[in-house]
Amino acid sequence: MADRLIAAGVAPADRIALVAETGPEFAALFFGVVYAGAWPVPLPLPTSFGGRDSYIEQLRVQLASCDPKMLIFPPELAQMAGEAARLSGTVGIDWSEFGTREAPVATLPEAKPDDIAYLQYSSGSTRFPHGVVITHAALLNNLAAHSHGMEVCDTDRCVSWLPWYHDMGLVGCFLSPIANQVSTDYLKTEDFARRPLAWLDLISRNEGTTLSYSPTFGYDICARRMSSQTKASDRFDLSRWRVAGNGADMIRPDVMQSFVDAFADAGFKASAFLPSYGLAEATLAVSLMPPGEGIRVELVEETQLSGGSRGGDRPSALPGDRQLRRAGPRHANRDPRRGRHAAPRSRDRQGLV
């Protein structure tokens, strides 16, 4: 694939936009772009919420932002992705057609640790998604942290429905299993949206110990889909689910408890929950709990959270206090403003991540 891209005129540091559909074509293109010395830019699939025009406009804005040499997309999205490419003045290519092109052997550039590996758009949780530069060194450091933090072992197998244009899907469930040599079963995101319990079916069929992540809403949907008249153990076996990761949105203990209540009968253990915190600007993982500890909730005063001190006559808990879910230790105490390691903060104090 790298040879084919170079034959198409791709040079080091070119941006190549790829619509990130879960499948072998995107995987081959992503690594082919990296091998060619260019920078892959995963872009989203359409959702059921915004409609055709909204998706075209989102792609157009992101294409204008990253200024790619070309946009490569799956054939079923040719109409929408092709229109976005036309509006942004970008060459649009159907990847089924691109895969038939000649691929004469070329000399591949050698990547250095500080070279850019790819561009990742942020999730858009707080504003419109913006591009983040990820270097090879940052990526490999984060992938190694996944292995250590989750205590990956030989019996582990990953199961994922997370989209590959999101950092948790791309880094956590696509690149990390490859780097850490973990076999993975994939369910397309749109298939999960139609049949959420298919995710748990995949986990049940897994003969190894399972690593699988989801935002809180994924657990919520599955718990809601279980009928009160149905025994979870009649359909599922979740007893080997070792790491049930939770991140990407607010961790809600009430929702997670509902999941435990719905699936404890199928062998699911609350201790399997692994809360974590991450963001695209940090490649992915920033902190995560040690495996096996589950979700721990602490009540923290607003004044303490903001760096103030508690008054002596204040009650121990008030309605305005915050419930905080522990997401574990940071991978490193590093002050991004000074570019060096910073002194650790004392427990329960506000600090930089």
Side-chain angles (χ1 to χ4, degrees):
M1 187 60 73
D3 293 336
R4 185 173 289 117
L5 287 159
I6 291 172
V10 172
D14 281 342
R15 276 78 65 205
I16 307 299
L18 307 171
V19 174
E21 182 178 59
T22 302
E25 295 86 357
F26 172 84
L29 282 162
F30 184 92
F31 289 116
V33 174
V34 172
Y35 273 116
W39 308 340
V41 188
L43 296 182
L45 292 162
T47 67
S48 58
F49 305 112
R52 177 184 182 277
D53 292 343
S54 176
Y55 179 63
I56 291 173
E57 176 62 12
Q58 180 181 9
L59 284 185
R60 185 197 67 77
V61 171
Q62 291 181 316
L63 290 171
S65 166
C66 66
D67 188 25
K69 187 177 184 69
M70 60 183 71
L71 167 66
I72 308 179
F73 46 79
E76 58 270 23
L77 295 180
Q79 187 176 25
M80 290 187 287
E83 177 64 8
R86 185 190 68 80
L87 291 172
S88 63
T90 304
V91 175
I93 304 173
D94 176 331
W95 65 34
S96 61
E97 181 274 319
F98 189 76
T100 65
R101 296 187 183 184
E102 294 295 321
V105 176
T107 301
L108 303 181
E110 183 175 341
K112 298 179 178 58
D114 290 333
D115 288 346
I116 294 172
Y118 63 96
L119 302 185
Q120 170 74 60
Y121 274 94
S122 63
S123 63
S125 301
T126 57
R127 58 173 172 164
F128 191 85
H130 61 281
V132 178
V133 171
I134 307 296
T135 65
H136 288 279
L139 174 62
L140 292 175
N141 180 277
N142 216 259
L143 298 182
H146 297 175
S147 177
H148 296 302
M150 291 189 290
E151 300 174 5
V152 172
C153 60
D154 292 341
T155 61
D156 284 340
R157 187 178 185 91
C158 180
V159 177
S160 177
W161 57 266
L162 300 175
W164 286 355
Y165 54 83
H166 188 281
D167 53 354
M168 195 159 76
L170 180 75
V171 183
C173 299
F174 172 51
L175 299 178
S176 184
I178 292 173
N180 292 307
Q181 296 291 283
V182 176
S183 297
T184 307
D185 297 311
Y186 290 110
L187 179 70
K188 287 189 175 182
T189 306
E190 58 266 34
D191 292 335
F192 169 80
R194 295 188 192 99
R195 298 180 296 112
L197 295 178
W199 173 39
L200 306 187
D201 285 328
L202 267 181
I203 292 173
S204 298
R205 294 200 295 268
N206 172 22
E207 295 182 357
T209 47
T210 300
L211 310 175
S212 194
Y213 253 82
S214 173
T216 297
F217 75 80
Y219 294 102
D220 190 22
I221 292 172
C222 288
R224 290 173 183 273
R225 286 294 177 97
M226 277 301 295
S227 167
S228 60
Q229 308 300 317
T230 304
K231 287 186 65 176
S233 58
D234 291 342
R235 176 173 174 179
F236 306 111
D237 178 5
L238 306 180
S239 61
R240 296 182 300 276
W241 195 347
R242 186 176 73 82
V243 171
N246 190 199
D249 65 1
M250 182 181 293
I251 299 171
R252 294 171 51 199
D254 58 327
V255 170
M256 309 311 283
Q257 185 59 53
S258 295
F259 186 88
V260 174
D261 295 342
F263 296 102
D265 179 63
F268 182 80
K269 297 176 285 292
S271 59
F273 283 136
L274 191 145
S276 56
Y277 173 75
L279 65 167
E281 291 83 348
T283 306
L284 175 61
V286 173
S287 65
L288 65 160
M289 287 291 286
E293 291 196 10
I295 297 174
R296 294 174 57 189
V297 179
E298 295 195 4
L299 192 67
V300 179
E301 288 188 45
E302 290 278 10
T303 51
Q304 286 188 317
L305 185 65
S306 61
S309 60
R310 172 180 170 173
D313 58 348
R314 190 183 189 277
S316 59
L318 288 176
D321 288 343
R322 291 275 189 92
Q323 274 194 342
L324 298 184
R325 273 62 68 190
R326 283 194 173 275
R330 287 173 286 178
H331 287 311
N333 287 314
R334 193 169 185 84
D335 188 336
R337 297 173 302 182
R338 300 178 177 86
R340 58 179 173 79
H341 287 276
R345 300 285 292 185
S346 60
R347 179 178 168 177
D348 297 330
R349 292 302 302 276
Q350 183 179 7
L352 283 168
V353 174

